[in-house]
């Protein structure tokens, strides 16, 4: 799988689809890091608190009450890199601090790096260097792993100069269409947000002469916050619909009826990854459109409004269990997105008995199945198990997060 995703990375770079190259590289790098750890011991990739992988590794996979491997929770890419650095004992070419920008791209934050071509190149080259070091550590055949890119992959200029491959067929066409659509949605988001914010300023200034100073400040703040939240919701809804339409046109959606083993079926997993990648690239247009708005209108207090919206929870509308809300970081913009499903909580038995628990310091364990994810900031929507898994949104889990 790592080989497939890394060659897809280079296919994307070769076709000029840089945002896709970043995201493919992130997935492929995470796969090969975890492959290295599993060579030593599968338990090295098991997330703290997960029992499924532990029981399967110890030979109890068929025992009653043991969850299937498809529901196992594994560590994230940063922890995988950190652990791989230990087992490679000095043979990892970069340190964790240098790796961080690449890790951010795996989490979706750097998907909009096409704004800065040099930034894209550096991110992808970081990933290629790590992957090649781990490939050598695993003693995987270089030709089988890199294919036609074996001699050129370290130099992205050479990759870009290669003639178009007939084997790329439909995938680059979809990627190019997605990036073109993302740029269009970015312009649309900027237009919506600019109009909303400038209209709010104009509306708030009417009859301002008759208001007391403190009162006028409240009016300004409310008008701007409302305009920004509304603009984001509109831009996000448009981006979400645009992504769904594009994926339907290319036959990626709707997802096929899946067997129970779908998470281990390469074809279905790859299809889900394609859907998530397209959705993330297009959803990212909302935040880039917001950045454009800030550059065009530096006089507008966009950052203070964003801070207030975040602190006050204006954008969040997630389910809650009592005082407990259910959020996960958005793969497209990094904001706290809403998760929905069969969710509930347990009281941590260690805390209940008076002991300390590093995993659940608040004494509450998140449990249940996440069925969908929706981001109120950029509009990203993930609505089946395969997409949630491809995006790294935990499902069927005992949560480890201290919300």
């Amino acid at each position: 799988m790592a080989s497939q995703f890394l060659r897809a990375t280079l296919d994307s770079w070769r076709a000029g689809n840089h945002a896709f190259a970043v995201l493919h590289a992130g997935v492929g790098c995470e796969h090969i890091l975890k492959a290295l750890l599993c060579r030593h011991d599968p338990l090295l990739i098991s997330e703290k608190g997960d029992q499924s992988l532990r029981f399967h590794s110890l030979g109890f996979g068929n025992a009653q009450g043991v969850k299937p491997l498809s529901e196992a929770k594994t560590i994230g890419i940063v922890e995988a890199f950190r652990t791989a650095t230990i087992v490679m004992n000095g043979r990892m070419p970069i340190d964790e601090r240098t790796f961080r920008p690449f890790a951010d791209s795996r989490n979706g934050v750097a998907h909009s790096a096409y704004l800065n071509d040099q930034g894209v190149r550096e991110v992808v080259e970081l990933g290629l260097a790590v992957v090649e070091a781990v490939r050598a550590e695993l003693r995987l055949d270089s030709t089988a792993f890199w294919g036609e890119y074996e001699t050129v992959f370290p130099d992205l200029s050479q990759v870009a100069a290669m003639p178009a491959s007939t084997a790329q067929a439909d995938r680059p066409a979809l990627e190019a269409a997605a990036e073109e659509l993302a740029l269009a949605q970015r312009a649309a988001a900027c237009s919506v947000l600019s109009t909303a914010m400038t209209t709010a300023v104009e509306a708030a200034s009417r009859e301002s002469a008759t208001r007391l100073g403190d009162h006028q400040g409240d009016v300004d703040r409310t008008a701007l916050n409302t305009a920004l939240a509304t603009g984001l919701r509109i831009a996000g809804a448009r981006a979400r619909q645009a992504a769904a339409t594009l994926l339907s046109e290319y036959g990626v959606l709707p997802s096929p009826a899946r067997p129970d083993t779908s998470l281990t079926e390469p074809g279905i997993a790859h299809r889900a990854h394609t859907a998530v990648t397209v959705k993330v690239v297009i959803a990212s247009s909302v935040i880039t459109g917001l950045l454009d708005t800030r550059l065009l209108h530096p006089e507008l207090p966009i950052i203070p409004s964003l801070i207030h919206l975040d602190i006050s929870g204006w954008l969040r509308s997630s389910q809650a269990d009592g005082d407990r809300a259910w959020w996960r970081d958005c793969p497209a913009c990094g904001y706290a997105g809403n998760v929905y499903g069969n969710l509930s909580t347990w009281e941590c038995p260690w805390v209940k008995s008076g002991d300390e628990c590093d995993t659940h310091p608040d004494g509450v364990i998140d449990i249940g199945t996440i069925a969908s994810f929706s981001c109120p900031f950029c509009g990203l929507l993930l609505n089946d198990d395969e997409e949630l898994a491809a995006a790294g949104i935990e499902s069927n889990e005992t949560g480890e997060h201290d919300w």
Side-chain angles (χ1 to χ4, degrees):
M1 288 294 287
S3 174
Q4 291 178 26
F5 277 115
L6 266 298
R7 279 179 283 167
T9 297
L10 297 167
D11 285 345
S12 296
W13 192 270
R14 183 174 176 178
N17 302 316
H18 293 175
F20 279 77
V22 173
L23 290 173
H24 290 316
V27 176
C29 184
E30 182 167 347
H31 278 313
I32 200 168
L33 286 168
K34 290 180 178 178
L36 171 64
L37 299 181
C38 283
R39 188 188 72 168
H40 292 278
D41 191 325
L43 292 182
L44 288 175
I45 70 167
S46 179
E47 184 169 306
K48 181 180 180 182
D50 175 75
Q51 294 296 322
S52 176
L53 191 55
R54 287 175 166 79
F55 282 125
H56 280 273
S57 299
L58 295 171
F60 296 102
N62 294 324
Q64 184 177 0
V66 176
K67 292 182 179 180
L69 277 176
S70 61
E71 297 183 11
K73 288 183 63 183
T74 61
I75 58 177
I77 187 172
V78 174
E79 188 171 350
F81 176 85
R82 186 182 301 129
T83 310
T85 300
I86 294 172
V87 303
M88 288 176 67
N89 195 25
R91 293 182 293 277
M92 183 66 78
I94 62 174
D95 59 20
E96 183 179 335
R97 181 177 180 181
T98 307
F99 183 73
R100 279 282 177 176
F102 181 79
D104 287 342
S105 75
R106 169 62 182 93
N107 297 330
V109 178
H111 53 268
S112 57
Y114 57 79
L115 291 170
N116 180 343
D117 186 68
Q118 187 59 38
V120 177
R121 180 182 295 272
E122 291 173 356
V123 164
V124 175
E125 287 177 346
L126 274 175
L128 293 173
V130 170
V131 168
E132 173 60 11
V134 178
R135 181 207 63 76
E137 186 78 8
L138 288 167
R139 298 180 181 177
L140 302 175
D141 181 76
S142 180
T143 301
F145 188 87
W146 294 110
E148 64 178 320
Y149 298 108
E150 181 185 11
T151 61
V152 299
F153 75 86
D155 187 344
L156 292 178
S157 296
Q158 290 189 47
V159 173
M162 294 174 70
S165 169
T166 55
Q168 293 180 37
D170 294 336
R171 190 183 52 75
L174 172 59
E175 294 183 358
E179 290 202 332
E180 182 178 352
L181 186 56
L183 290 172
Q185 289 298 314
R186 170 184 172 181
C190 180
S191 177
V192 167
L193 291 164
S194 296
T195 301
M197 294 292 279
T198 53
T199 301
V201 171
E202 293 173 3
S205 65
R206 292 172 186 163
E207 302 180 6
S208 59
T210 63
R211 300 190 186 106
L212 298 176
D214 292 344
H215 187 195
Q216 182 60 43
D218 291 338
V219 171
D220 290 340
R221 188 179 307 106
T222 301
L224 287 165
N225 290 348
T226 302
L228 183 55
T230 301
L232 288 171
R233 294 275 172 88
I234 292 172
R238 288 181 174 179
R240 180 170 62 245
Q241 183 57 52
T245 299
L246 181 67
L247 289 167
S248 296
E249 290 174 352
Y250 279 79
V252 179
L253 293 179
S255 300
R258 66 180 185 88
D260 291 339
T261 57
S262 64
L263 291 178
T264 61
E265 293 287 335
I268 295 179
H270 189 273
R271 188 166 177 169
H273 174 73
T274 299
V276 170
T277 303
V278 169
K279 288 183 176 185
V280 166
V281 167
I282 295 176
S284 74
S285 63
V286 175
I287 195 167
T288 50
L290 181 63
L291 293 172
D292 290 343
T293 304
R294 187 185 174 203
L295 291 173
L296 286 172
H297 303 281
E299 75 283 358
L300 294 174
I302 292 177
I303 297 301
S305 289
L306 282 174
I307 293 172
H308 187 269
L309 290 175
D310 185 38
I311 293 174
S312 62
W314 273 34
L315 293 176
R316 297 174 184 169
S317 58
S318 62
Q319 285 189 171
D321 177 22
D323 295 329
R324 197 172 189 79
W326 300 85
W327 303 320
R328 296 291 186 272
D329 290 343
C330 177
C333 68
Y335 192 74
N338 307 319
V339 294
Y340 304 93
N342 180 22
L343 306 170
S344 58
T345 59
W346 281 348
E347 187 175 3
C348 176
W350 295 98
V351 176
K352 184 178 180 180
S353 65
D355 295 327
E356 292 186 1
C357 178
D358 293 337
T359 305
H360 310 109
D362 60 353
V364 180
I365 302 174
D366 299 339
I367 63 170
T369 301
I370 297 174
S372 65
F373 171 92
S374 177
C375 179
F377 194 103
C378 67
L380 179 68
L381 176 65
L382 308 173
N383 45 18
D384 62 43
D385 290 344
E386 286 75 26
E387 289 186 2
L388 292 167
I393 305 293
E394 311 99 307
S395 188
N396 297 314
E397 60 128 17
T398 299
E400 304 301 332
H401 300 283
D402 172 22
W403 297 111

